[in-house]
Amino acid sequence: MTTTTRTGGRPVDAETIDPVAAERGILARQGGKAQSEWRRRWRRFRSYPPAIFALGFVIALVLLAIFAPLIAPYDPYDTSPRLRGDGPSREYLLGNDGTGRDILSRLIYGTRIALAVGLGATAIAVSIGVLVGAASGYFGGKVDLLLSRIVDTLMAFPTIALLLVLSAVLTPSIPLVIAIIGFTVWASYARVVRAEVLSLKERDYVLAARASGATSSRIIVRHIVPNVIGVVIVLASLAIGGVIIYESALSFLGLGVRPPEPSWGRMLADGRDFIRNYPHIMIAPGVFITLTVLAFNLLGEGLRDAFDPRGRR
Amino acid sequence: MLRYVAVRVVQGAVVLALISLLTFGLIHAAPGSPISLLVGEARVTPETIANLERRWGLDRPVWEQYLVWLGNVVTGDFGQSITRTGTPVTEMIGEALPYTLRLNAAAITLSIAIAIPLGIMAAYRRNTMLDYITTATSTLGVAVPNYWIGLLLIIVFASQLGWLPTYGAGAGWRSYVLPVTVLAFEEMAGLIRVTRGATLEALGSDHVQTARAKGLRERSVLTGHVVRNALLPIVTVLGYRIAFILSGTIVIETVFAFPGIGRLFSDSLFNLDYQVVQALVLLLALIVVTGNLLTDLTYALIDPRIRIAS
């Protein structure tokens, strides 16, 4: 590790101050570019403690989703009228909801929906965004004009309103919820990628490649994409949290994931019906949504540090 | 400058045209014909249905329906509500709009009054307790679903303490306290981050160092050089945000059963009252497009680089 000085409460190593010199030094020592680059990114990521906690939390969520049947103490769909609205107890750690289902088990199964929607919709949105943004920025001219108007149109649409109309029209299943969100929120990523590609296109090495006769597709694959990938990873990790909030809001309003599926937003809607008599029902799902969104956002900030050492918080 | 304005206005018009087309297409594709909703369980002859279709213009080809609708919209006629038969959509929006405007005006004012000074102080006293608490709160604020905060506030202040009404707008200013708090909190979280970032940027710039080197008092440096330069990006972001806030109230108005346009939107959606939904989507989009246009123009007016680059 290079000399670490403390500036502004967080350790900042020499390379952050002078990336070029640092790269030379590290290259000389390790003699491998690809390896050292990821190693340096990992070190910058690690130097932001909240991101480490976030990473741990996300890994825990993934495990929870995969092993839900083994971890959940009860069947998430099993209603027992006897337990209706019971508060937390030794057998039912978070209590029971308005129809007597175990809240903890529903939360654990809900992880599956949250992650599927969060990751799935983000994957769709970022893929479309990268394709459209790259085409728009790289080809310019008429293509750019057309694609930019489409992007403008989507961005002028109030997102929640569009999501609500689409969900009402399509009465979606979970895969359809994923598609609806993915196809609605991609526009802002297209805009970022377009700007990035526009600036990359003018760099010397791209001009040099073109001068030496490289085809457009080769330039895109070899020179543009590898340089945009950092921005895309950061965008994607920051997008997941937003997508999870959209899904929960849709399900909360009764238009996203349908009952009896244990979506966290849906659980909040169930809890709302009993807000006077059993307020405990809607505490835990909200806490879970908040922590999950927070974790993905902090992960994104850590990744931004890792991929863009000059950016500061 | 005139050329820039012209280009931007045309772009805005194109976007609005595309939105109207998309909205109309979406609503048209929606299941459940408005006629069956209107008729309900009542037994009717095919003639009655044909008559109704003729009256609402549903027997004509789709593109003709679109053009008729667009023509009406341009002249300010959004048609009539189907659930509240005969009531013009414009009248329904006119009833709801003042509630939403009051709600949002209060929320935006509150969030600006708190977030901007707090963001500036957090950046100025970077890495102090104040900064940590401010940053942590705004990070948390971005992650919390706003409707959940609404529910928690209802439990504490309406259900348990009984200080404020649970829903509706029937209790004068007391009805506004909870929804305004939720909206302002959400808005503050984002605004604090932008303000803090912009102030940090300004603090690190050369002219601030020069001002300090000249021996200017810290107070003058802060107000005259740092804040002035930080305000430009803040105002820009704020301009874009305000346009979007209106649509952000959809969920909150539904949670508090607040009779504004957000509530009208979700109610109409559930009642399949598509005339109202269409009108509202178009109205919200119009606000966003106009808001963005005004922000861009203001920015171009202040910063000549932007109009030259375009």
Side-chain angles (χ1 to χ4, degrees):
Chain A
M1 189 152 172
T2 45
T3 43
T4 302
T5 49
R6 285 193 76 84
T7 47
R10 285 181 47 207
V12 173
D13 42 24
E15 83 202 36
T16 315
I17 298 154
D18 186 354
V20 180
E23 185 155 4
R24 253 185 233 130
I26 289 168
L27 282 183
R29 250 176 291 132
Q30 298 181 337
K33 186 166 183 276
Q35 184 202 17
S36 73
E37 199 166 303
W38 286 99
R39 198 172 281 184
R40 276 184 298 134
R41 282 176 186 158
W42 168 239
R43 199 173 58 235
R44 282 195 297 261
F45 179 83
R46 225 175 37 189
S47 71
Y48 181 51
I52 295 292
F53 281 107
L55 186 63
F57 189 80
V58 169
I59 292 174
L61 279 181
V62 171
L63 293 177
L64 218 52
I66 296 174
F67 298 110
L70 299 177
I71 301 167
Y74 300 97
D75 184 331
Y77 304 102
D78 208 10
T79 59
S80 33
R82 197 169 46 83
L83 299 165
R84 203 174 286 166
D86 275 7
S89 63
R90 197 181 289 249
E91 294 101 295
Y92 299 90
L93 290 174
L94 293 175
N96 301 78
D97 72 3
T99 52
R101 293 173 295 200
D102 178 42
I103 293 179
L104 179 64
S105 303
R106 288 180 70 70
L107 268 184
I108 292 172
Y109 273 89
T111 317
R112 290 182 162 185
I113 295 175
L115 288 185
V117 176
L119 299 175
T122 304
I124 294 176
V126 171
S127 307
I128 304 178
V130 168
L131 281 178
V132 171
S136 192
Y138 188 79
F139 293 112
K142 284 213 177 82
V143 178
D144 182 30
L145 205 65
L146 177 73
L147 292 177
S148 290
R149 285 301 79 72
I150 296 177
V151 168
D152 285 353
T153 307
L154 261 182
M155 292 204 55
F157 247 118
T159 314
I160 274 281
L162 183 57
L163 286 174
L164 288 173
V165 173
L166 279 172
S167 312
V169 169
L170 298 170
T171 42
S173 56
I174 293 177
L176 208 51
V177 171
I178 296 175
I180 288 174
I181 300 180
F183 280 97
T184 304
V185 301
W186 59 268
S188 55
Y189 311 118
R191 198 171 269 186
V192 175
V193 172
R194 174 180 175 272
E196 194 75 9
V197 170
L198 272 181
S199 90
L200 281 171
K201 200 168 72 163
E202 305 300 326
R203 299 282 166 84
D204 290 341
Y205 58 86
V206 174
L207 295 177
R210 189 169 303 138
S212 55
T215 58
S216 282
S217 57
R218 187 180 161 82
I219 292 177
I220 291 180
V221 173
R222 299 283 307 195
H223 300 287
I224 307 278
V225 170
N227 282 298
V228 199
I229 220 129
V231 178
V232 172
I233 291 176
V234 174
L235 274 181
S237 62
L238 288 173
I240 296 172
V243 167
I244 291 178
I245 291 211
Y246 280 136
E247 184 273 316
S248 78
L250 278 183
S251 303
F252 174 73
L253 293 178
L255 287 168
V257 176
R258 307 281 147 149
E261 295 301 327
S263 148
W264 295 339
R266 185 63 237 169
M267 291 175 72
L268 284 180
D270 292 341
R272 186 194 179 199
D273 298 339
F274 298 95
I275 195 166
R276 273 190 179 277
N277 299 325
Y278 315 127
H280 75 272
I281 298 174
M282 42 139 297
I283 303 294
V287 172
F288 249 67
I289 297 173
T290 307
L291 287 180
T292 307
V293 175
L294 190 65
F296 279 109
N297 286 353
L298 292 174
L299 196 64
E301 301 215 344
L303 288 170
R304 181 168 9 198
D305 284 0
F307 282 94
D308 181 15
R310 275 149 303 176
R312 47 177 186 175
R313 221 184 316 279
Chain B
M1 186 66 196
L2 209 63
R3 206 185 117 79
Y4 178 76
V5 175
V7 169
R8 293 311 320 259
V9 169
V10 171
Q11 281 178 356
V14 170
V15 165
L16 281 178
L18 283 174
I19 284 179
S20 76
L21 198 61
L22 204 60
T23 314
F24 185 85
L26 260 178
I27 298 297
H28 196 81
S33 93
I35 297 296
S36 63
L37 193 79
L38 200 64
V39 177
E41 297 290 304
R43 271 183 209 224
V44 283
T45 56
E47 287 92 80
T48 322
I49 293 185
N51 275 335
L52 280 170
E53 279 184 339
R54 202 164 319 122
R55 190 179 146 214
W56 295 92
L58 295 169
D59 55 340
R60 287 184 250 174
V62 183
W63 61 269
E64 209 180 308
Q65 290 185 32
Y66 170 69
L67 288 182
V68 169
W69 173 71
L70 194 65
N72 289 340
V73 165
V74 171
T75 55
D77 175 11
F78 284 97
Q80 296 179 348
S81 161
I82 287 186
T83 38
R84 272 170 64 184
T85 321
T87 318
V89 173
T90 33
E91 194 183 309
M92 293 172 78
I93 295 179
E95 281 169 19
L97 200 57
Y99 288 102
T100 301
L101 290 182
R102 278 194 292 265
L103 183 64
N104 283 283
I108 293 169
T109 314
L110 188 65
S111 66
I112 290 177
I114 298 176
I116 291 186
L118 210 55
I120 292 173
M121 284 322 285
Y124 190 68
R125 302 188 192 279
R126 200 183 175 185
N127 299 317
T128 60
M129 212 51 192
L130 175 80
D131 183 24
Y132 291 142
I133 293 173
T134 310
T135 310
T137 312
S138 70
T139 309
L140 196 67
V142 174
V144 187
N146 58 5
Y147 60 92
W148 183 56
I149 302 192
L151 292 176
L152 292 181
L153 291 178
I154 289 178
I155 291 183
V156 176
F157 293 100
S159 230
Q160 303 288 330
L161 297 171
W163 291 351
L164 296 162
T166 319
Y167 59 84
W173 65 270
R174 287 168 64 231
S175 308
Y176 285 84
V177 175
L178 293 183
V180 166
T181 310
V182 176
L183 282 175
F185 179 69
E186 191 192 15
E187 211 41 46
M188 258 188 299
L191 199 53
I192 285 176
R193 286 161 82 88
V194 175
T195 309
R196 183 175 175 275
T199 310
L200 278 181
E201 192 88 12
L203 274 171
S205 62
D206 291 342
H207 65 265
V208 169
Q209 302 218 349
T210 312
R212 283 213 175 107
K214 277 197 308 190
L216 231 56
R217 277 176 309 141
E218 201 51 33
R219 196 185 180 74
S220 319
V221 173
L222 195 61
T223 51
H225 295 264
V226 176
V227 173
R228 274 187 78 161
N229 281 287
L231 277 181
L232 194 63
I234 297 172
V235 168
T236 316
V237 173
L238 207 59
Y240 291 121
R241 293 285 311 161
I242 285 178
F244 271 100
I245 293 176
L246 278 180
S247 61
T249 56
I250 292 176
V251 184
I252 288 306
E253 285 182 12
T254 309
V255 168
F256 288 99
F258 198 80
I261 58 167
R263 172 89 193 290
L264 181 62
F265 179 85
S266 57
D267 279 358
S268 307
L269 204 56
F270 280 109
N271 295 333
L272 307 177
D273 197 345
Y274 293 136
Q275 295 289 331
V276 183
V277 174
Q278 255 172 343
L280 283 174
V281 171
L282 216 54
L283 183 73
L284 290 173
L286 180 69
I287 293 171
V288 174
V289 171
T290 326
N292 286 358
L293 190 66
L294 289 179
T295 314
D296 283 354
L297 293 183
T298 319
Y299 205 58
L301 208 63
I302 301 169
D303 190 343
R305 281 171 302 181
I306 295 190
R307 56 193 128 113
I308 292 166
S310 64

